[in-house]
Each structure stands twice: as C-alpha cells, then as structure tokens.
C-alpha cells in the first residue's frame, strides 16, 4: 500500500517538474474532492506549515474496485495543536511588530500532515500548487515561499525532496534525523532542533558518565529511529559501551510484537534501556510494560518523548518514574498562554481543529450528529472555561517544541526582512518580489537573538546551535509530576549533570548498575569471554610484578625496575633487598655452622695444647698442627663475611679472606704430607733429604705458598676489586645485594691455585696411604683431600645455577663443608686416641707395623 502511494507521489512530482518553468496558468481544475483540512490566513507572504495533529489514520480501500473514500485522521494530538497555535501566535506577533517587516503582512497556510508520510506529501503539494480552500485557479508556483514542518523525520525527508525542485526552503521544528544534514541530498532543508548526531553524542556521554556498559535499545522502524540508533551505537562503542540488544518496533505491528519486545528486556538481563522513538510508539511500549509488570528498569528517553505528558501519571510512575533523557532546551514565550485561551468553538469555521481540541480538553462532544458522536461523552455546552483546564494544551512549563516552532517563524521573518532591505537598497523602484533561492540564502545566514537571549543561526549543514536539557521524571512534594532539570549538553560536547538532584527508578538515590560482568577490582584486568561482547569479561589477577590501579583495566602495568607489585596488585612498592641476613633461618643456620666449626676447632686446639707433650702430638709436628688448626678456624671465620648486607670492605674480605686462608690451610697440610712421606721413606736418620724438610724449611714452604696467593689477591684488589652490586630484573620481586667478583680471571686464578695445592697434596698423601705403620696420617689427609675436592667440584655447577642470595649461600656452604672435612678427617682420629684410647698414645704403639 505504501509503495503504491509513493510511486503515485513521485509520478506527480515528475509532472510538477516538467511544468515548473511555466509561470502562469490561465486556469486549472481540481480532479476529485479536496479533503485536506487547513487553517488559512491571507497575507502579503503566506508561510506554509505542516503539523501532525493526529496520531493515526484510517486506512483507505486501495483495492481499485471502488472509490477509496475520504482520507481521515483520528487520535487528536493536543501537543501538536499547541505547536500550530505557537506558529499562529508568532505570525500575529510579528505582524504587530513595527520594526520587523513593517511593510509586509505575514499569512499562513497550515495543514495536518497526520502521522503518515503520504498525507505529508499531499500537504506539501497543496502548499506548492495552492490547491485548497478559496483557490480555484493555479497561481505562481509555489504559493508559499517556505514550509515550516514536518514533525517526523520521514515526513521531512519526503517533503525536502519535493521542495528541492523549486529551490523552496523548509524549516523543521521536530525532525532530528542526522541524514537531513546532508546538503547534497537535502540542499534547502534547515531546522531549529538539533540533529541526532548531537543527541547520540549526548546519550553516549550520559551512559558513560554513570558507568553503564550493558544497555538495551528499543527503536522504531523509520528514518529517525534507524539513523539515531546507528549513530548512538558508534558513539557508544567508541566509549566502551555494549548494546545488549536492539529491538525494532515494525511499521505494521502485529499482535504479540510489542509483548515480545518487552520480554526481551528480561531475557537479556538489561537494567538500563534506551528508547529512541516517537511518543506515539513509546505509548505502546508503556502500555505493555505496565501489562507485564516489568519493574526495576532505568529508562533513557530520546528527545522525542523525554518530556511527553501523554503517559506521565500515577499509574505509570512506579514503572517509569526516574526516567532520564535529553530534551530540547526550553524557554518562555510571553503572551502565548493568553493567545491559547482566546480559542472557542464558535471560531471553528476559521480553524477546523477547534472542535476536536475542545472535545479532547473537556471530554465532551460538540457534534450534533448522534451517529458520529461518542456515546461515552456528554454533550458540550459551549460554556466550558479553558482557564480552569490543566490540559497539555495550556502547559507553559514545558515549552520546548513550541519554542522551536516559534524560532522557525522568526527565522523566516528575519530572512524576509533582510531580503526586503537588500532589495530596497539595491533599487527602490523595483517592487518586492520573492526569489526562493535568494530567500534560502538569506534564511541560512540569519543571525539574531530572541527576546529570552537565545541566539538563532544555522551552521553549514542547516543545523542550529545544539543545546539540550537533561530532564528527570520526578514526583514533587505536592504530588505533581515534573520534568526536573538535572543537567545540560551543548555543542562543545560539554556534559554537566547534578547527580544530587536525580531520582532514579524506584525513587532511589543510588545510581543503578548496568553491566554484563561485575567491575574488575584493582589488581586485576579484563579478559573478554570468547564469543561474547567486549563488555562481558572475566577478571584475571595481574601477574607478579604488574599492577592495575584502576577498576576495569584492560591491561596490567609493569612496575618500574626497582619496584614490585604489592599483594593486592594495585600499586608498586620498592623491591625488598635480598641478602643473607643473620636473622633469617638460612643465615642463622649458616652462622650456627660457622660458630660450631670455630667451637670444634677451639676444642681440638685445646686438646692438642693439653696433650702437646704426648708422642702423638709431637710425632705430628706440633707447629704444623697448630698452624692447620689456626687456618681452619680462619676458614670458618671467613664464611661469616658472607652474611649481612654487602659493603665494599666485606666484599673484599669475602673473596680475598677465603682465598688466603684456604691457601694457608692447604699449604700447611701439604707441608705435613711431605714430612710424613719423607719420614717414612728415608731409612737413615742422617740423610740429607731430611735437611730439606726441616721445620724451618717447612715454614718457608708454607710462607711461599701462601704469599703467592696473597700477591694474587692484592693485585686483584688493586686492579678490579670485588664490590657490592644490585642485581635487578623485571621478573624478580627483590633486589639482590651481592658482591661482584670484579675480575673473573683473578677469581678463577685464586680458585685454580687452591685446586693445584689440593691436587699436589692429594698426590703425595695418596702415595703414602699404605705405609706399614699402626698410625698412618697420610691416609687421613687423603680422605680430607677427597672430601675437599668433592665439595668444590660440586660447588662449581651449584654456584653457577643458584639464584639470588642462594649463590652466596652455596659458596658459604662449600667453605663450611670443606672446613669441617679437613677438621674431622685430620684431627678426629688423633682426638679419639688422646681422649678415648690413651694407652695407644705412646711411641711403641705408633712405631709398630700394622698387622695387615
């Protein structure tokens, strides 16, 4: 049906274009019956107006089997009638103004575009051709130089395409589709209401401000709904907002359609729902919400129904109280209410809509035909008093669209005024003649200020300065339902809101929560669930060393090099210093081992001092034994330098002290081993070989062996000494305080020299291991060297693979183990004999050969 009507309309448009250049027609006739009601006032210049004064139409019979009948609209709209009256009031006010258009009188031709696009086409064509009341002959085309309308975006799109043919400007007061800003498609279209482009930005920022990330959208299947929702989704996605569902109310509504749309709210678990639709379609949603008893939903209103009073009442308040949305900035129109009160049914010959208005306001019937009258209404007396009415028609607290109409009329008046003055200045002899293209040029360049201080102008797209009021549906203390002003949004995209003034759904003061997943706390990041929108996510704790100090973080931040994440992973704290402390268990254990070694060494020394004159002690070279005990004690002491926080002195002492003391210890043991080997292998006591290993020569050997290590360590400390360093990596929670060797070559040389001494000592001891005497000390030295070698051979891979402070612990453990090995293997057998087997501590027993 709609397609047929559109095709007929475009055919008629094609015919109009063919004859557009013809300036005068001697006569014309009207085929069929003219059934388009209108309000007409003659004037020098007549402005056209198209308003949707009815909410629906009665479908015509387009079967082509009979006459379709007269087109009829039903469901009178008091708000639209107020818009009509605002246009009439503005024109009357301008005609009384001696400064604005002093030599011209404005008139008007106002038609009802109903709610349909094809009725709007008929109205537009009537305004162009002049066909209508008191018009029998065709005149100059078009009859009206400008059209103020239409009310819906779909109507304006069609009308703009028609008037474009004649370069005829039109100004819409209620069409917000962003598509109409396209000057290539709609070159002569202007409007006094902001584009949906700005509304979508405002709505997206509103949702973002309250941290709503999971919302539903319901719209209608027309240009206004589809374009507005598309723009909103783009803005919302850029701000990280997910649309949980999008339901579209179809043009033809079948039974159950609205019910299914409302049910989807519960299915998708949406707590915040945006409705972008006209108030007539919103009324259907309201009715179904009440029917299904859907509560707990925070509604967001588009500007088309954000301030409608059609269904804001006691019944709907429990469901829609707290609704929030953007509305066109309101203003006052002085004198409008007095003008609205001047209407009476006796004037219906001049205004065919008065009858319906009167019946709607007073709920009575003025029709004399009982067949046409509503039997549920009592007859009107004509004495009803509008002053006592509280209908929407007289509501002056919510003048938004009416003010948009008011500005549109004044914009045309100022354009005509500027154009008239321009022509007078150019040539005073030429009479004023309307050129539609010139009028459009003046109209789009108007720039004036209304009485309330509101500036009126248009940008390059024909859009006005955008400014919205954020309104909240509330109930005042006296029980009145009000649209409370709680914020603003202007063209600079500055969004301001007073949260303390807002009353949310259910009369709550806490901001509703709308999210698919609960917000991720500090210390975690969002991980999107596979196959779901990005607003549905899991919260994954940050890895060690990373933090998130904001909720809903997408990524965790790596802490700086010297910092580490705390337990909550919400901030970076300085890394702990890691070294072997005396207070920690490991440090206590190692220090205890060192002290135990010192204690045992002292005990052994005491035993040896006490038994120093016995054959066992004297036979083992007393001086060398005490020298070995002293060096072993120093080895135990050197291990303690590995505990505590490293300093320059302790680092030098660790490596050089360790190297020198062990070189001294092994040198003493080497001297003892050589003495044992010589003593048991030289038969003659006066042999010259023994002279080379006299006590003095032994001391020289020990000193020379130790001095070499001392020289190496001295050169090491001069050229590249060990020093304290901080070992830091991003993946460790501590700063390792350690001693850097400085020169790996020197460190290797120190260890290598000790290894050489051990190797020589082991070789000599091994050669003397089987000497045939009851007490063979070479055997025990051999054991000590085997243990010493095993410890340090094991130490090398363990040292290289140990992390952090455990590297120092491994070295300290190796020192302690090797020291204990030397102490036990060399001196334990002697102490055993001296303490437990004193009868064997004699020269005869020691010189006897083993039975084996």
């Amino acid at each position: 049906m709609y397609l047929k009507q559109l095709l007929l309309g475009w055919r008629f448009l094609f015919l109009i274009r063919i004859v557009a250049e013809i300036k005068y027609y001697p006569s014309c006739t009207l085929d069929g019956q003219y059934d388009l009601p209108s309000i007409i006032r003659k004037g020098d210049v007549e402005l056209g107006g198209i308003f949707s004064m009815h909410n629906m139409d009665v479908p015509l019979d387009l079967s082509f089997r009979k006459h379709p009948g007269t087109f009829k609209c039903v469901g009178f709209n008091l708000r639209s009638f107020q818009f009509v009256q605002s246009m009439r009031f503005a024109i009357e006010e301008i005609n009384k103004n001696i400064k604005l258009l002093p030599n011209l009188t404005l008139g008007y031709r106002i038609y009802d575009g109903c709610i349909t696009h094809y009725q709007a086409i008929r109205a537009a064509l009537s305004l162009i051709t002049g066909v209508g009341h008191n018009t029998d002959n065709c005149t100059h085309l078009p009859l009206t130089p400008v059209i103020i309308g239409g009310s819906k975006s779909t109507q304006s799109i069609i009308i703009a395409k028609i008037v474009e043919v004649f370069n005829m400007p039109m100004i819409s007061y209620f069409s917000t589709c962003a598509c109409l800003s396209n000057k290539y498609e709609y070159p002569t279209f202007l409007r006094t209401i902001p584009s949906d482009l700005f509304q979508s930005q405002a709505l997206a920022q509103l949702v973002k401000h309250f941290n709503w990330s999971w919302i539903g959208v319901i719209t209608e299947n027309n240009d206004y709904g589809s374009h507005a929702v598309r723009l909103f989704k783009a803005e919302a996605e850029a701000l990280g907002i997910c649309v949980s569902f999008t339901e579209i109310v179809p043009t033809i509504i079948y039974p159950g359609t609205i019910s299914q749309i409302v049910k989807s709210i519960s299915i998708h678990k949406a707590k915040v729902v945006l409705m972008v639709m006209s108030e007539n379609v919103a009324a259907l949603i309201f009715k179904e919400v009440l029917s299904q008893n859907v509560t707990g939903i925070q509604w967001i209103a588009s500007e088309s129904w954000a301030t409608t009073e059609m269904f804001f009442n006691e019944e709907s308040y429990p469901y829609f109280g707290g609704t929030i949305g953007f509305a066109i900035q309101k203003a006052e129109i002085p004198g409008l209410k007095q003008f609205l009160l001047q209407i009476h049914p006796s004037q219906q010959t001049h205004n065919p809509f008065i009858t319906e208005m009167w019946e709607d306001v007073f709920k009575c019937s003025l029709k004399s035909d009982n067949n046409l009258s509503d039997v549920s209404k009592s007859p009107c007396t004509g004495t009803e008093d509008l002053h006592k009415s509280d209908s929407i028609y007289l509501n002056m607290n919510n003048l938004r669209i009416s003010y948009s109409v008011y500005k549109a009329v004044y914009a045309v008046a100022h354009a005509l005024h500027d154009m008239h003055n321009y022509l007078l200045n150019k040539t005073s002899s030429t009479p004023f003649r309307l050129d539609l293209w010139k009028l459009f040029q003046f109209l789009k360049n108007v720039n004036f200020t209304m009485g309330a201080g509101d500036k009126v102008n248009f940008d390059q797209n024909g859009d006005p300065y955008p400014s919205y009021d954020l309104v909240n549906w509330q109930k005042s203390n006296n029980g009145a339902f009000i649209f409370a002003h709680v914020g603003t949004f202007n063209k600079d995209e500055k969004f301001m809101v007073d949260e303390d003034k807002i009353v949310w759904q259910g009369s709550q003061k806490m901001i509703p929560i709308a999210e698919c997943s609960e917000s991720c706390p500090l210390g975690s990041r969002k991980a999107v669930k596979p196959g779901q929108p990005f607003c549905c996510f899991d919260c994954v704790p940050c890895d060690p060393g990373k933090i998130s100090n904001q909720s809903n973080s997408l990524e965790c931040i790596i802490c700086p090099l010297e910092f580490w994440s705390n337990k909550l992973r919400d901030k970076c704290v300085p890394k702990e210093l890691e070294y072997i402390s005396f207070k920690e268990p490991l440090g206590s254990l190692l220090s205890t081992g060192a002290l135990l070694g010192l204690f045992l060494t002292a005990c052994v020394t005491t035993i040896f001092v006490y038994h120093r004159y016995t054959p066992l002690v004297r036979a083992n070279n007393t001086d060398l034994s005490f020298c070995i005990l002293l060096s072993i004690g120093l080895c135990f002491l050197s291990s303690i330098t590995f505990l505590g926080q490293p300093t320059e002195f302790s680092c030098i002492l660790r490596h050089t002290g360790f190297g020198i003391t062990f070189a001294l210890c092994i040198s003493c043991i080497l001297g003892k081993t050589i003495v044992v080997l010589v003593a048991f292998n030289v038969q003659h006591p006066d042999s010259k070989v023994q002279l080379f290993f006299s006590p003095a020569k032994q001391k020289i050997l020990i000193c020379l062996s130790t001095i070499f290590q001392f020289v190496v360590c001295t050169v090491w400390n001069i050229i590249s000494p060990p020093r304290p360093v901080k070992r830091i990596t991003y993946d460790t929670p501590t700063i390792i305080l350690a001693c850097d060797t400085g020169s790996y070559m020197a460190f290797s040389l120190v260890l290598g020299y000790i290894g050489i001494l051990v190797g020589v000592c082991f070789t000599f001891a091994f050669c003397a291991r089987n000497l045939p005497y009851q007490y063979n000390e070479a055997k025990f030295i051999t054991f000590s060297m085997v243990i010493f070698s095993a410890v340090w051979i094991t130490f090398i891979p363990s040292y290289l693979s140990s992390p952090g402070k455990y590297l120092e612990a491994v070295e300290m453990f190796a020192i302690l183990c090797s020291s204990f090995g030397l102490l036990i293997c060399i001196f334990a057998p002697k102490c055993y004999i001296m303490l437990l087997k004193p009868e064997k501590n004699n020269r005869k027993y020691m010189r006897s050969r083993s039975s084996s």
Side-chain angles (χ1 to χ4, degrees):
M1 179 181 67
Y2 296 108
L3 180 60
K4 292 179 180 178
Q5 291 290 331
L6 285 174
L7 290 174
L8 291 173
W10 286 114
R11 286 182 180 180
F12 186 66
L13 176 62
F14 179 74
L15 295 175
I16 290 292
R17 188 156 193 166
I18 293 176
V19 299
E21 299 298 326
I22 303 176
K23 298 183 178 180
Y24 180 77
Y25 299 89
S27 63
C28 69
T29 58
L30 179 63
D31 293 334
Q33 181 181 0
Y34 183 81
D35 57 356
L36 198 62
S38 60
I39 308 173
I40 299 176
R41 184 191 189 280
K42 295 292 185 178
D44 297 327
V45 178
E46 297 176 7
L47 308 185
I50 300 177
F51 296 84
S52 296
M53 282 178 278
H54 291 85
N55 297 328
M56 63 187 74
D57 65 300
V58 177
L60 298 177
D61 184 359
L62 300 179
S63 63
F64 296 96
R65 294 186 178 90
K66 62 179 181 178
H67 191 279
T70 303
F71 187 88
K72 185 179 181 181
C73 291
V74 295
F76 192 73
N77 191 323
L78 279 177
R79 286 187 72 209
S80 292
F81 188 67
Q82 187 192 71
F83 305 159
V84 172
Q85 294 294 83
S86 300
M87 177 176 175
R88 295 181 62 216
F89 171 74
I91 291 175
E92 297 293 341
E93 193 175 62
I94 292 169
N95 287 335
K96 295 176 183 178
N97 191 332
I98 60 175
K99 294 182 179 179
L100 188 61
L101 294 176
N103 301 319
L104 290 175
T105 301
L106 292 182
Y108 49 79
R109 288 178 174 264
I110 301 174
Y111 291 96
D112 179 15
C114 199
I115 200 67
T116 61
H117 48 274
Y118 44 82
Q119 184 74 346
I121 292 174
R122 298 180 68 204
L125 293 175
S126 296
L127 291 173
I128 294 172
T129 62
V131 174
H133 294 294
N134 304 321
T135 304
D136 297 325
N137 296 323
C138 297
T139 59
H140 295 287
L141 300 180
L143 180 64
T144 56
V146 64
I147 293 179
I148 296 177
S151 60
K152 299 185 70 174
S153 295
T154 301
Q155 291 182 347
S156 293
I157 288 172
I158 297 175
I159 297 172
K161 284 292 185 181
I162 295 174
V163 301
E164 170 196 346
V165 177
F166 305 96
N167 293 327
M168 182 180 180
M170 66 175 292
I171 305 180
S172 177
Y173 54 87
F174 208 14
S175 299
T176 60
C177 180
C179 59
L180 289 164
S181 297
N182 187 339
K183 292 299 99 180
Y184 179 79
E185 293 287 338
Y186 314 101
T188 61
F189 178 83
L190 305 167
R191 53 184 158 195
T192 54
I193 188 171
S195 164
D196 282 334
L197 175 63
F198 303 107
Q199 182 184 202
S200 63
Q201 295 171 353
L203 289 170
Q205 290 201 26
L206 169 71
V207 173
K208 183 64 177 179
H209 178 82
F210 294 113
N211 294 320
W212 295 330
S213 60
W214 188 250
I215 69 170
V217 175
I218 303 177
T219 186
E220 56 182 317
N221 187 23
N222 57 20
D223 296 284
Y224 166 64
S226 60
H227 283 84
V229 169
R230 178 174 55 81
L231 291 171
F232 170 76
K233 284 184 175 180
E235 293 287 339
E237 184 177 352
L239 295 176
I241 302 165
C242 293
V243 175
S244 59
F245 68 91
T246 302
E247 292 290 344
I248 300 175
V249 179
T251 304
I252 301 176
I253 302 174
Y254 295 99
T257 301
I258 303 299
S259 175
Q260 189 60 40
I261 289 174
V262 174
K263 285 181 182 178
S264 65
I265 298 174
S266 301
I267 294 174
H268 292 88
K269 299 179 180 180
K271 294 299 181 182
V272 176
V273 179
L274 167 65
M275 286 207 303
V276 182
M277 57 186 60
S278 65
E279 61 181 9
N280 301 315
V281 180
L284 301 176
I285 302 295
F286 269 54
K287 183 178 179 181
E288 188 61 33
V289 167
L290 270 62
S291 175
Q292 295 187 22
N293 193 28
V294 179
T295 58
I297 304 299
Q298 176 61 49
W299 299 93
I300 303 177
S302 62
E303 44 76 29
S304 58
W305 67 274
T307 55
T308 181
E309 299 180 6
M310 181 186 301
F311 30 70
F312 191 20
N313 49 44
E314 194 70 42
E315 182 184 11
S316 66
Y317 187 77
Y319 302 89
F320 291 90
T323 295
I324 193 169
F326 287 100
I328 308 306
Q329 197 169 31
K330 72 174 182 179
E332 295 183 1
I333 304 178
L336 177 61
K337 186 169 185 178
Q338 289 73 19
F339 181 80
L340 297 179
L341 289 170
Q342 294 174 6
I343 202 167
H344 192 269
S346 60
Q347 303 169 348
Q348 61 182 347
T349 55
H350 305 290
N351 191 336
F353 304 105
I354 291 179
T355 298
E356 292 181 272
M357 183 279 298
W358 200 267
E359 290 180 341
D360 196 286
V361 170
F362 296 107
K363 308 304 178 185
C364 61
S365 178
L366 280 171
K367 297 172 183 176
S368 57
D369 189 348
N370 292 331
N371 294 328
L372 297 176
S373 63
D374 189 345
V375 295
S376 64
K377 296 180 180 179
S378 59
C380 298
T381 62
T383 60
E384 291 82 6
D385 190 358
L386 279 175
H387 292 80
K388 298 178 181 180
S389 171
D390 59 351
S391 68
I392 300 174
Y393 172 68
L394 295 173
N395 186 357
M396 297 292 107
N397 297 323
N398 196 30
L399 295 179
R400 301 180 189 275
I401 306 303
S402 295
Y403 186 62
S404 183
V405 175
Y406 187 73
K407 290 193 295 185
V409 175
Y410 266 89
V412 175
H414 277 273
L416 289 169
H417 184 84
D418 295 341
M419 183 177 178
H420 188 227
N421 290 341
Y422 170 79
L423 294 176
L424 287 177
N425 293 334
K426 188 175 182 181
T427 170
S428 58
S429 59
T430 304
F432 177 70
R433 182 178 177 182
L434 277 176
D435 185 311
L436 298 187
W437 184 250
K438 286 184 179 179
L439 174 61
F440 172 70
Q441 298 302 319
F442 280 98
L443 184 57
K444 71 177 184 180
N445 292 313
V446 294
N447 192 349
F448 62 95
T449 303
M450 301 292 292
D454 185 20
K455 290 186 177 181
V456 179
N457 55 13
F458 304 100
D459 62 15
Q460 69 274 13
N461 296 321
D463 295 325
Y465 178 95
S467 182
Y468 292 100
D469 288 338
L470 183 63
V471 297
N472 182 220
W473 291 24
Q474 298 181 10
K475 194 174 184 180
S476 63
N477 295 330
N478 60 6
F481 299 101
I482 60 173
F483 301 105
H485 181 277
V486 295
T488 56
F489 181 86
N490 57 32
K491 78 169 184 178
D492 299 323
E493 299 184 17
K494 292 182 179 179
F495 175 60
M496 294 177 289
V497 59
D498 189 346
E499 296 183 12
D500 295 333
K501 292 182 179 180
I502 300 178
V503 176
W504 301 104
Q505 206 284 328
S507 301
Q508 300 294 319
K509 294 299 291 183
M510 292 184 61
I511 300 174
I513 298 175
E515 52 190 20
C516 177
S517 302
E518 293 186 4
S519 298
C520 288
L522 305 183
S524 63
R525 63 177 178 85
K526 296 195 296 186
V528 177
K529 295 181 179 180
Q532 296 191 28
F534 62 87
C535 293
C536 301
F537 49 82
D538 294 319
C539 296
V540 179
C542 290
D543 295 330
K546 297 181 180 181
I547 65 163
S548 65
N549 52 13
Q550 294 180 348
S551 59
N552 290 328
S553 296
L554 296 176
E555 295 292 341
C556 294
I557 306 170
I558 300 177
C559 288
L561 184 60
E562 295 190 1
F563 290 82
W564 192 254
S565 56
N566 60 353
K567 291 183 178 180
L568 298 178
R569 304 282 199 272
D570 60 352
K571 62 180 178 180
C572 293
V573 296
K575 287 183 176 180
E576 294 182 359
L577 300 178
E578 184 181 78
Y579 56 90
I580 305 176
S581 172
F582 287 96
K583 297 180 180 180
E584 64 176 300
L586 178 61
S588 299
L589 179 63
L590 292 174
S591 61
T592 300
L595 293 176
L596 177 62
L598 282 172
F599 174 74
L600 293 177
T601 304
C603 292
V604 172
T605 304
T606 302
I607 294 171
F608 265 67
V609 170
Y610 184 78
H611 296 87
R612 63 186 179 276
Y613 297 116
T614 62
L616 181 61
V617 175
R618 293 172 63 86
N620 283 277
N621 196 326
T622 304
D623 293 339
L624 284 180
S625 296
F626 284 118
C627 185
I628 293 172
L629 286 171
L630 175 63
S631 62
I632 290 175
L634 291 176
C635 288
F636 282 119
L637 280 176
S638 69
S639 67
I640 297 178
T641 60
F642 287 84
L643 300 177
Q645 183 171 343
T647 62
E648 290 186 2
F649 176 74
S650 67
C651 285
I652 293 175
L653 195 60
R654 283 183 187 183
H655 293 90
T656 58
F658 151 73
I660 293 173
T661 55
F662 266 95
L664 174 63
C665 182
I666 303 301
S667 296
C668 293
I669 295 173
L670 177 61
K672 180 184 280 288
T673 304
I674 293 174
V675 170
V676 171
L677 186 63
V678 171
F680 282 95
N681 284 280
V682 177
Q683 299 296 328
H684 196 279
D686 295 330
S687 175
K688 295 182 180 180
V689 177
Q690 291 186 348
L691 295 177
F692 288 100
F693 294 97
S694 63
K697 299 295 190 299
Q698 294 171 17
K699 293 175 183 178
I700 293 173
L701 175 65
I702 294 170
C703 289
L704 290 175
S705 301
T706 307
I707 286 174
F708 178 81
Q709 186 80 305
F710 181 80
V711 171
V712 172
C713 291
T714 301
V715 174
W716 180 12
N717 292 329
I718 293 174
I719 298 176
S720 180
R723 62 187 184 280
V725 293
K726 293 181 179 180
R727 294 173 180 166
I728 313 174
T729 58
Y730 280 104
D731 56 351
T732 55
T734 57
I735 298 176
I736 302 172
L737 298 182
C739 289
D740 183 57
T741 55
S743 172
Y744 286 104
M745 182 179 294
F747 182 61
S748 300
L749 185 60
V750 168
L751 291 179
Y753 181 69
I754 294 174
I756 291 172
L757 291 177
V758 171
V760 173
C761 185
F762 173 78
T763 302
F764 287 167
F766 184 80
C767 293
R769 72 187 188 284
N770 292 322
L771 292 176
Y773 287 93
Q774 186 68 26
Y775 181 81
N776 185 0
E777 189 176 16
K779 184 182 296 184
F780 302 115
I781 294 175
T782 303
F783 290 152
S784 68
M785 292 300 102
V786 170
I787 293 174
F788 189 95
S789 300
V791 169
W792 285 100
I793 291 173
T794 308
F795 159 77
I796 294 174
S798 300
Y799 181 84
L800 296 175
S801 62
S802 297
K805 64 182 180 181
Y806 298 103
L807 183 144
E808 311 287 346
V810 168
E811 187 172 356
M812 185 177 177
F813 184 77
I815 293 173
L816 292 176
C817 287
S818 57
S819 299
F820 274 111
L822 295 175
L823 180 65
I824 293 172
C825 289
I826 295 176
F827 293 99
K830 300 179 179 64
C831 292
Y832 173 78
I833 292 174
M834 285 185 286
L835 296 176
L836 301 178
K837 301 289 183 177
E839 67 277 6
K840 295 182 179 181
N841 189 2
N842 55 69
R843 186 183 298 272
K844 180 180 178 181
Y845 177 80
M846 294 180 60
R847 293 182 64 88
S848 63
R849 292 179 178 271
S850 174
S851 59
S852 58

